[in-house]
Amino acid sequence: MGMAKIKKGDEVVVLSGKDKGKTGNVTQVMPKDGKVIVSGVNMIARHRKPTQQNPQGGIDRYEAPMAISKVAVADPKDGKATRVRIEEKDGKKVRVAVKSGEVIDG
């Protein structure tokens, strides 16, 4: 598969859906499912009944996985969404923002 375009710890912009335009850090990537989890984005509320472990019950809020295609890496220069190109620099593969030409890692 080679080098992934989106990695854990990346700053990404959401391109579609109810959180369109939001940015956040990737906390988890699930390549098998083609999904990512972005901190603070795509929040879901689970209504929990009181149980013995959790006698209070209540509402759990957490991030749901979203399709990788819905997010794009934020350009290090201006924070806008950009595509990512893989280039070789000094024999190392690095990710480069297509819009500004900035190196994302390395």
Side-chain angles (χ1 to χ4, degrees), residues 9-103:
D10 281 353
E11 187 72 27
V12 294
V13 182
V14 181
L15 303 176
S16 64
K18 66 175 169 47
D19 289 328
K20 181 175 177 174
K22 280 194 188 169
T23 57
N25 272 326
V26 176
T27 52
Q28 197 183 339
V29 181
M30 313 170 183
K32 237 208 222 97
D33 309 327
K35 293 192 182 285
V36 288
I37 294 181
V38 182
S39 62
V41 176
N42 204 21
M43 297 302 281
I44 276 190
R46 265 272 169 265
H47 298 257
R48 299 276 184 215
K49 274 191 169 152
T51 58
Q52 288 194 318
Q53 285 86 35
N54 180 8
Q56 202 57 57
I59 300 175
D60 290 349
R61 292 186 185 282
Y62 59 93
E63 292 100 353
M66 58 202 290
I68 262 186
S69 58
K70 282 178 64 166
V71 300
V73 175
D75 196 311
K77 244 194 186 137
D78 60 6
K80 292 205 174 103
T82 177
R83 299 189 310 283
V84 175
R85 183 184 296 133
I86 311 287
E87 288 179 11
E88 277 208 23
K89 288 231 165 84
D90 315 320
K92 267 176 58 194
K93 284 189 173 174
V94 292
R95 295 179 304 159
V96 175
V98 172
K99 269 193 184 153
S100 66
E102 294 274 308
V103 174

